[in-house]
Amino acid sequence: MEHNQKKFPIGHLYGFLLSLLLTFGAAIIALKTSLSFQTIMWIIGSLAVVQAALQLFMFMHVSEGEDKKAQLINIAYGVFTAVVIVVGSIWVMSFGNHIH
């Protein structure tokens, strides 16, 4: 066994627990508060971005490795793809029935 290897991945456990905390926090905010719909959606969206970043660093090991430029390009491409899918889906669901 190498000297720098750990027997138990405590970082993964912390990441998992933080992800659960963020998920339950979003659920509690959505179900148990009397905030406006827009405020709830902004809070849930913000928690989702934090959780995505947490998972990139804790589980996908983005900060590790030698080729930082390739990792940055891959993350940018992933964000671009997600934005295109979400915006495109909202656009089609909002304006798709005007053609018929």
Side-chain angles (χ1 to χ4, degrees), residues 22-78:
L22 290 168
T23 301
F24 289 133
I28 289 169
I29 288 169
L31 300 174
K32 301 289 184 181
T33 62
S34 60
L35 299 171
S36 70
F37 177 76
Q38 285 183 330
T39 303
I40 291 173
M41 295 311 287
W42 276 104
I43 292 171
I44 291 174
S46 300
L47 290 175
V49 169
V50 170
Q51 185 170 356
L54 172 80
Q55 290 182 4
L56 278 173
F57 285 98
M58 297 299 284
F59 301 120
M60 303 300 287
H61 305 286
V62 167
S63 60
E64 298 174 7
E66 297 175 15
D67 196 3
K68 304 287 185 198
K69 185 176 180 180
Q71 287 180 348
L72 183 62
I73 290 170
N74 288 337
I75 290 171
Y77 176 70

Side-chain angles (χ1 to χ4, degrees), residues 9-24 51 54-55 58-59:
I10 194 73
H12 289 119
L13 181 63
Y14 289 147
F16 176 68
L17 292 175
L18 286 171
S19 293
L20 283 177
L21 181 70
L22 290 168
T23 301
F24 289 133
Q51 185 170 356
L54 172 80
Q55 290 182 4
M58 297 299 284
F59 301 120

Side-chain angles (χ1 to χ4, degrees), residues 76-88:
Y77 176 70
V79 168
F80 172 75
T81 303
V83 168
V84 167
I85 290 171
V86 170
V87 171

